Amino acid sequence: MANNHPFRIGVLGSGKGSNFAAIASAVAAGTLPAEIAIVLSDVADAGILALARERGLPAQFIAPGKFRTKLEEDAERAFVNALNAAQVDLVVLAGFMRVLKGDFLRAFEGRIVNIHPSLLPSFPGLASWKQALDYGVKVTGCTVHFVDAGVDSGAIIGQQTVPVLDHDTAETLHQRIHAAEHELYPRCVAALARREILVQGRRVIRKLP
Ligand code: GAR
């Protein structure tokens, strides 16, 4: 990561964009020393694009192609090109619901992070809050991790716990996990932007001051 310009992030999302909004608010408040260089979505009417445009940020829809869970080759190239054109230092997945493959991962090796709504390695995949509720765990939470070729399997940067309450429904638990995500994600991205993070294999640690 270059050190002589403001840290530039590109955000990818498929949904309403509340994590993006938390990150944008932290940038605006000065607690996250970065610039949001571009926001991209595979969903034309995704809330994340509208939120980005409201903030005057460059936002673009890129058609994902014919697959349901991954990007078609041309689409993947278009995402990579847009992120490169925006000169991003870090790719931040904020509810991006497609698995990224080889060429994308190689283009931004070690520079892609994701947020997941469980304490990984428990409950990877979809609807993790519901998986946690159905399993009967008493504590769940959210995880920020680097993205590798697996599903929700990359090295863990940060986690925040959320208790599962006796009267929780999938909906109430999901809401509290979301609230925890909005604290955790900006904090983790800020640590990366400040270059405070050291990666030692699977262990991701804070550099000593
Ligand atoms: C978040 O809860 C995030 O953890 C989840 O999508 C939601 C996006 O919400 N991501 C995944 O499940 C990825 N496997 P948002 O659009 O409001 O930020």
Side-chain angles (χ1 to χ4, degrees):
M1 291 176 209
N3 230 335
N4 52 356
H5 65 80
F7 190 84
R8 294 171 68 81
I9 63 182
V11 184
L12 269 58
S14 311
K16 65 180 180 168
S18 68
N19 278 286
F20 156 72
I23 287 168
S25 297
V27 169
T31 54
L32 197 174
E35 276 176 20
I36 299 174
I38 192 154
V39 177
L40 300 173
S41 183
D42 58 327
V43 177
D45 60 353
I48 191 171
L49 291 176
L51 289 177
R53 289 180 185 127
E54 271 170 27
R55 287 168 169 75
L57 295 168
Q60 197 185 328
F61 160 67
I62 297 176
K66 62 176 180 281
F67 304 117
R68 206 171 48 83
T69 58
K70 63 177 185 174
L71 296 170
E72 214 170 294
E73 218 171 285
D74 284 357
E76 187 175 79
R77 204 170 307 118
F79 272 90
V80 169
N81 289 344
L83 290 162
N84 276 331
Q87 298 184 297
V88 305
D89 296 295
L90 184 73
V91 179
V92 173
L93 306 184
F96 190 67
M97 301 312 279
R98 286 170 194 272
V99 179
L100 297 172
K101 296 288 177 188
D103 283 348
F104 194 112
L105 298 179
R106 272 188 292 279
F108 301 101
E109 205 183 336
R111 297 190 294 142
I112 311 172
V113 294
N114 181 43
I115 187 146
H116 182 80
S118 74
L119 295 176
L120 291 171
S122 290
F123 312 125
L126 295 176
S128 306
W129 61 92
K130 190 165 182 309
Q131 293 187 52
L133 195 67
D134 291 346
Y135 193 93
V137 295
K138 301 298 183 197
V139 179
T140 184
C142 51
T143 302
V144 174
H145 62 93
F146 285 107
V147 173
D148 65 10
V151 175
D152 304 323
S153 57
I156 291 170
I157 301 166
Q159 293 185 303
Q160 191 155 318
T161 58
V162 173
V164 181
L165 305 178
D166 286 348
H167 50 271
D168 258 332
T169 61
E171 178 76 358
T172 58
L173 181 58
H174 192 196
Q175 276 169 9
R176 291 206 313 289
I177 293 173
H178 242 126
E181 290 184 334
H182 301 160
E183 292 173 14
L184 180 69
Y185 215 2
R187 264 209 323 270
C188 289
V189 176
L192 289 158
R194 294 198 181 97
R195 299 175 169 86
E196 293 171 355
I197 295 291
L198 206 58
V199 181
Q200 298 178 333
R202 280 211 60 91
R203 296 195 63 199
V204 179
I205 58 176
R206 278 287 171 98
K207 280 185 199 166
L208 290 174

